[in-house]
Amino acid sequence: MKLQAFQTERFFAQYEFSAKHLLSVSDCETITVENLLELANMTLADLGHLALGYTESQGNPELREAIARTYQSISAEDVLVLGSPIEGLFISFQALLDKSNEAIILTPAYDALFNLPEDLAAKAIPWELKATANDWQLDFERLESLITNKTKLIVVNFPHNPTGFLPTQIEFLKLITIARQYNLWLLCDEMYRGLEHLPDDQLPSAADLYDKAIVLSGLSKTHGLPGLRAGWLVIKDKTMFQGVLNWKLYTSICPPAPTEFLALAALKTAEKLKQKNLEIIKQNLELASPFFQQWEDLFFYRKPKAGSVALVELKQGNATEYAHQLAKEASIVLLPSPFMRFPDRFLRFGFGRTSFQEALAAYDVYLANAKKTE
Ligand SMILES: Cc1ncc(COP(=O)(O)O)c(C=O)c1O
């Protein structure tokens, strides 16, 4: 298997640890190990007593129980704890796809969601989100027109990176009905679940609705712990579960013991971590609205419904060139859309960090200066 370049991660690698203002990150504000243990009523001494032997390949049973409790109909047996969330995508696609089948992927998409199916399957077919005046929309007629007798898998991600789109419950059920009707697997990336801006908007997990669902989740985004590398898959189908687990034995064998320990601590205080991050996102969205109103000549802003990011349309120019220029001239990082299989006129904004206010103010100054020299 030949792997194509992971452009989003490479773009971030170029600027992430040197630029002053990260206006595009998808994770949320993080905390220290000490803070996390304190919130979970645990101590650093507890962590110190942890033995560093191999762990169970499927994941620590207590952790799997705690994860299973976050779903309606899932048991610890359906949960596979990973070495990292991204590993879950790699091993799922390996188990599902080969040159005899096709996958349909909702776009724009986080690189791995599209690139891996494209490299593994006979065909990876984009199912484009449609931009409307104020929002994004799923086109089910289009989806059905893309299904062939080779289609094995539909790939979606809700809440959606990079648009902040969230379907309604009715739309989500319709998607599952279509998957069921054509007997397709549904990989649902739920890394941002819990970050719905209105709590009533939260969708049920695909894992609770459909036996042929493969659900990815983890603690990087909603809980703000990306350095923990804690993630899991939920797969009810036993044959598929074993197929995916076999791939995992070649990639990480078993989850890191400290990650499992701290993931269990994080799940004990999950609600607090989530609420903290939702609060930051809401405050930052309050700042974003007047900013985009002020610069409405430049941007078309569709307010996100869920998650930590939004995809903002440039009214003129090329997003990739613009993003590099902005990073070099103003040390402000915005991710351009082509990496996510979308036309080159969108930029991703991220609202999950407390540094957003300062970064947005710096961008505002940059735009005002650019206007003066026009
Ligand atoms: C939609 C989506 N899925 C999976 C991942 C991978 O998560 P992690 O970086 O924690 O492995 C990301 C990270 O940006 C993501 O946005």
Side-chain angles (χ1 to χ4, degrees):
M1 176 196 180
K2 217 170 160 199
L3 281 173
Q4 56 194 297
F6 201 131
Q7 297 199 70
T8 291
E9 297 301 339
R10 285 191 175 187
F11 178 84
F12 274 117
Q14 207 176 334
Y15 300 114
E16 189 172 8
F17 296 101
S18 56
K20 258 197 223 143
H21 304 294
L22 300 179
L23 205 43
S24 199
V25 286
S26 60
D27 58 5
C28 290
E29 195 70 26
T30 200
I31 57 170
T32 62
V33 172
E34 209 169 15
N35 288 154
L36 175 59
L37 290 172
E38 207 177 286
L39 282 169
N41 283 324
M42 291 159 82
T43 65
L44 273 171
D46 296 329
L47 176 59
H49 294 137
L50 179 74
L52 292 175
Y54 276 112
T55 62
E56 287 189 38
S57 288
Q58 190 178 341
N60 175 295
E62 199 187 340
L63 175 60
R64 285 190 283 112
E65 289 284 350
I67 292 168
R69 280 196 294 276
T70 66
Y71 299 88
Q72 299 283 318
S73 62
I74 298 304
S75 78
E77 284 308 298
D78 306 323
V79 176
L80 178 61
V81 182
L82 302 162
S84 68
I86 188 87
E87 180 192 41
L89 296 178
F90 187 80
I91 62 178
S92 297
F93 290 135
Q94 290 285 3
L96 280 158
L97 299 173
D98 58 48
K99 292 296 173 195
S100 72
N101 51 39
E102 297 178 359
I104 297 171
I105 298 113
L106 184 71
T107 58
Y110 177 63
D111 309 34
L113 291 174
F114 199 97
N115 293 1
L116 290 169
E118 189 169 53
D119 289 338
L120 285 163
K123 238 181 178 178
I125 304 166
W127 174 34
E128 283 197 8
L129 263 180
K130 274 170 118 176
T132 64
N134 302 311
D135 198 3
W136 301 87
Q137 208 172 52
L138 294 171
D139 181 347
F140 288 106
E141 262 181 44
R142 176 86 183 131
L143 172 63
E144 287 202 71
S145 78
L146 300 174
I147 297 173
T148 72
N149 58 5
K150 285 191 169 174
T151 309
K152 183 165 183 189
L153 170 70
I154 301 174
V155 180
V156 292
N157 155 224
F158 302 131
H160 186 243
N161 170 18
T163 59
F165 167 76
L166 187 70
T168 61
Q169 279 229 20
I170 291 173
E171 288 169 327
F172 193 49
L173 292 176
K174 185 162 180 182
L175 173 67
I176 285 168
T177 303
I178 293 174
R180 189 174 279 124
Q181 187 184 339
Y182 292 90
N183 194 25
L184 304 176
W185 288 94
L186 179 70
L187 188 142
C188 194
D189 180 326
E190 299 180 359
M191 286 296 292
Y192 298 82
R193 188 153 178 263
L195 288 182
E196 298 74 20
H197 304 169
L198 300 173
D200 287 351
D201 282 353
Q202 184 170 93
L203 296 173
S205 169
D208 284 317
L209 296 177
Y210 186 41
D211 284 350
K212 289 186 81 170
I214 297 180
V215 163
L216 174 73
S217 193
L219 302 177
S220 300
K221 312 295 181 181
T222 308
H223 307 84
L225 304 171
L228 193 52
R229 314 306 297 127
W232 58 87
L233 289 167
V234 183
I235 308 173
K236 274 189 180 165
D237 183 282
K238 290 299 150 219
T239 310
M240 182 56 69
F241 190 102
Q242 286 305 321
V244 175
L245 173 60
N246 192 47
W247 269 99
K248 187 184 148 157
L249 299 177
Y250 287 96
T251 50
S252 64
I253 301 180
C254 63
T259 298
E260 289 201 305
F261 180 91
L262 293 171
L264 199 51
L267 286 176
K268 282 189 186 156
T269 185
E271 194 53 34
K272 273 193 189 150
L273 295 174
K274 188 183 86 174
Q275 285 309 331
K276 164 186 76 71
N277 290 331
L278 260 176
E279 206 42 53
I280 293 170
I281 290 169
K282 283 184 192 165
Q283 280 170 12
N284 289 337
L285 288 172
E286 291 283 309
L287 300 171
S289 286
F291 173 89
F292 288 117
Q293 234 162 40
Q294 186 191 338
W295 296 108
E296 64 181 2
D297 291 353
L298 303 180
F299 304 111
F300 204 95
Y301 171 56
R302 296 173 178 86
K303 195 168 181 235
K305 286 207 170 71
S308 52
V309 290
L311 197 62
V312 177
E313 191 166 354
L314 271 178
K315 290 194 170 165
Q316 284 172 24
N318 170 293
T320 306
E321 269 174 33
Y322 184 82
H324 283 291
Q325 185 185 343
L326 188 65
K328 285 177 183 141
E329 287 180 1
S331 210
I332 295 169
V333 182
L334 283 171
L335 182 71
S337 46
F339 304 159
M340 299 168 283
R341 306 287 175 149
F342 220 51
D344 198 358
R345 55 169 202 279
F346 295 87
L347 296 163
R348 187 181 77 184
F349 281 68
F351 306 98
R353 300 264 187 101
T354 49
S355 57
F356 179 86
Q357 180 166 16
E358 195 186 329
L360 196 70
Y363 192 24
D364 193 49
V365 169
Y366 174 81
L367 292 175
N369 286 339
K371 197 171 176 186
K372 268 189 228 153
T373 57
E374 260 175 18

